[in-house]
C-alpha cells in the first residue's frame, strides 16, 4: 500500500547499550505469537516493525491511536503496545514537567502514513474527537486548495487523502484504499532530506528494499511498507530525542545483519540479547541523515 499524496510532495553511529526505557520495555515475556504478528514478516529477511513514540500522556495518546484511528492494545508483559496491520507502536511516557519534545515536522521522518478503506468515516471520527485536521495547511497548494471537509482528492490517482496532528505533534497522513479488508494498516513513512536519491539508495543497500519512483518522490519498498523520500526545502534534523525517537525494523537474523553492516563498511552494530521468551535481539543503527533505527529479532513471531 502506498500514498498517492507522496507524488505531490516537493519539497551514524552505533548504540552500544540499550537505554533504560527500552530495557524496561523489553525485560518481560512477549505475548503469544498470534497477538503480536507482522503479516508481512514472512515475506523478507528484513521487514518494517515498529514506531517508538514519546508522549506526554499515554491515556491521551491512546485517544488518537486507539479510540479514533483504530489500533488495538495488546500486552507485552506488564507493558502495552498498539497493533495495526504490519505495525506495532510503542509509547514511552515522559516524566511530568519534562520539556516538550519537537514533533515529526522538521525531522528526517516528516510523517507517518496509514491506509483506511473509508477515509470519510475515518476523518469524521478523528474530527469528532477533536484532533486537528491540517490537510489544507500541509498539502502542496495544488491539492490543499481543493480540500473540502478535511479531505483532498487526488484526481490522477482517484484517491482521497487527509492529514492530522496527534496530541504530541506526530503528523499522520491517511489515504483511502477501498480494496482493504482491514480497518487500518501501515502504509508508508515519508522522509525528507537534502538528497532523496542518496537516502533511497542507502535504505536499498542496507535493508534490501526495492528502489522505485513515484513522480517526484523516490521510494524504497519493504514487505508491508513503502519508504518515500523527498527533498527538504530547509534543513532537517535527526529523530533521536524527538517525539518519534526512532523507527524499527525486524530482522529474521539480527547477527547476520550485524555482520552485513560491518561488511558494508558501516559502524559496527552491537547486538544485545534481552531475557524474553524469544531471546530477543536488539541493536541500533543510524542513517547518515540522523534517523535512528532499532533492529529487533524476535519482537514478533515470523511464520
Amino acid at each position: 500500500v502506498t500514498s498517492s499524496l507522496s507524488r505531490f510532495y516537493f519539497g551514524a553511529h552505533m548504540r552500544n547499550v540499550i537505554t533504560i526505557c527500552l530495557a524496561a520495555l523489553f525485560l518481560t515475556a512477549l505475548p503469544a505469537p498470534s497477538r503480536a504478528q507482522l503479516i508481512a514478516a514472512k515475506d523478507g529477511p528484513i521487514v518494517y516493525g515498529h514506531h517508538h513514540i514519546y508522549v506526554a500522556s499515554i491515556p491521551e495518546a491512546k485517544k488518537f491511536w486507539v479510540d479514533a484511528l483504530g489500533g488495538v492494545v495488546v500486552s507485552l508483559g506488564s507493558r502495552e503496545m498498539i497493533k495495526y496491520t504490519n505495525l506495532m507502536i510503542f509509547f514511552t511516557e515522559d516524566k511530568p514537567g519534562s520539556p516538550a519534545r519537537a514533533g515529526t515536522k522538521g525531522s528526517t521522518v516528516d510523517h507517518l502514513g496509514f491506509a483506511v478503506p473509508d477515509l470519510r468515516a475515518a476523518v469524521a471520527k478523528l474530527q469528532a474527537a477533536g484532533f486537528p485536521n491540517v490537510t489544507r495547511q500541509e498539502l502542496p497548494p495544488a491539492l490543499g486548495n481543493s480540500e473540502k471537509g478535511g479531505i483532498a482528492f487526488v484526481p490522477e490517482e482517484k484517491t482521497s487523502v487527509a492529514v492530522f496532528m496527534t496530541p504530541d505533534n506526530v503528523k499522520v497522513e491517511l489515504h483511502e484504499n477501498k480494496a482493504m479488508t482491514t480497518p487500518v494498516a501501515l502504509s508508508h513513512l515519508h522522509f525528507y532530506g537534502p538528497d532523496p536519491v542518496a537516502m533511497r539508495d542507502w535504505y536499498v543497500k542496507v535493508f534490501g528494499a526495492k528502489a522505485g519512483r513515484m513522480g517526484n518522490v523516490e521510494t524504497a519498498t519493504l514487505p508491508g511498507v513503502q519508504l518515500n523520500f523527498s527533498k527538504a526545502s530547509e534543513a532537517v534534523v535527526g529523530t533521536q530525542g524527538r517525539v518519534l525517537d526512532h523507527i524499527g525494523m525486524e530482522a529474521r537474523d539480527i547477527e547476520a545483519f550485524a555482520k552485513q553492516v560491518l561488511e558494508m563498511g558501516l559502524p559496527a552494530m552491537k547486538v544485545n540479547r534481552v531475557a524474553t521468551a524469544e531471546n530477543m535481539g536488539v541493536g541500533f543503527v543510524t542513517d547518515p541523515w540522523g534517523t535512528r533505527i532499532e533492529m529487533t529479532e524476535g519482537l514478533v513471531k515470523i511464520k
Side-chain angles (χ1 to χ4, degrees):
V1 180
T2 61
S3 169
S4 300
L5 172 60
S6 299
R7 68 172 63 238
F8 293 93
Y9 269 69
F10 304 104
H13 64 276
M14 73 175 185
R15 295 286 299 179
N16 288 326
V17 296
I18 302 175
T19 60
I20 294 175
C21 63
L22 286 170
L25 178 65
F26 291 131
L27 286 175
T28 50
L30 294 180
S34 62
R35 297 189 66 198
Q37 182 180 356
L38 296 176
I39 293 173
K42 65 183 184 302
D43 295 329
I46 297 177
V47 302
Y48 195 80
H50 71 276
H51 306 328
H52 196 131
I53 300 174
Y54 281 70
V55 300
S57 165
I58 288 178
E60 289 301 311
K62 285 164 69 174
K63 290 179 181 178
F64 180 93
W65 297 102
V66 178
D67 300 343
L69 190 58
V72 177
V73 178
V74 295
S75 297
L76 183 67
S78 61
R79 298 293 297 270
E80 293 179 337
M81 59 184 179
I82 313 303
K83 179 184 175 183
Y84 302 87
T85 300
N86 291 330
L87 172 71
M88 263 73 80
I89 292 182
F90 293 100
F91 294 138
T92 294
E93 187 173 270
D94 282 324
K95 294 179 179 179
S98 297
R101 292 174 182 262
T104 55
K105 286 184 62 176
S107 76
T108 50
V109 183
D110 177 81
H111 64 267
L112 310 177
F114 291 82
V116 295
D118 186 341
L119 183 61
R120 189 162 298 281
V123 167
K125 190 172 184 179
L126 285 159
Q127 289 181 325
F131 297 111
N133 184 307
V134 294
T135 303
R136 182 177 292 270
Q137 302 95 298
E138 293 299 324
L139 299 188
L143 289 178
N145 292 337
S146 70
E147 176 267 325
K148 293 181 180 179
I151 296 174
F153 184 68
V154 184
E156 292 183 6
E157 295 293 315
K158 298 181 180 179
T159 300
S160 299
V161 297
V163 186
F164 282 85
M165 284 291 185
T166 75
D168 299 287
N169 290 320
V170 176
K171 188 166 128 182
V172 175
E173 178 191 308
L174 306 178
H175 72 99
E176 189 168 78
N177 177 2
K178 292 182 180 295
M180 288 176 60
T181 57
T182 57
V184 59
L186 172 66
S187 168
H188 67 281
L189 286 78
H190 203 131
F191 297 75
Y192 279 76
D195 189 340
V197 173
M199 295 178 84
R200 177 203 67 192
D201 290 348
W202 191 87
Y203 281 81
V204 168
K205 174 184 177 182
V206 175
F207 300 109
K210 182 178 179 180
R213 187 177 174 84
M214 295 192 312
N216 294 306
V217 176
E218 305 296 335
T219 66
T221 303
L222 286 167
V225 71
Q226 180 166 292
L227 309 177
N228 299 331
F229 304 91
S230 291
K231 186 174 180 60
S233 58
E234 54 189 46
V236 295
V237 300
T239 59
Q240 188 170 5
R242 297 175 76 94
V243 168
L244 179 67
D245 180 83
H246 61 269
I247 62 176
M249 305 278 190
E250 171 79 359
R252 185 170 293 163
D253 185 338
I254 197 169
E255 301 288 355
F257 177 79
K259 181 180 178 182
Q260 174 184 308
V261 163
L262 280 178
E263 291 172 348
M264 290 179 180
L266 300 173
M269 184 187 82
K270 180 177 176 60
V271 176
N272 294 276
R273 290 288 175 178
V274 184
T276 66
E278 302 294 333
N279 190 30
M280 192 179 79
V282 178
F284 286 91
V285 294
T286 302
D287 77 14
W289 302 272
T291 306
R292 191 171 182 230
I293 305 158
E294 181 179 19
M295 301 301 301
T296 61
E297 175 198 305
L299 177 60
V300 295
K301 196 72 170 181
I302 296 177
K303 291 186 177 181

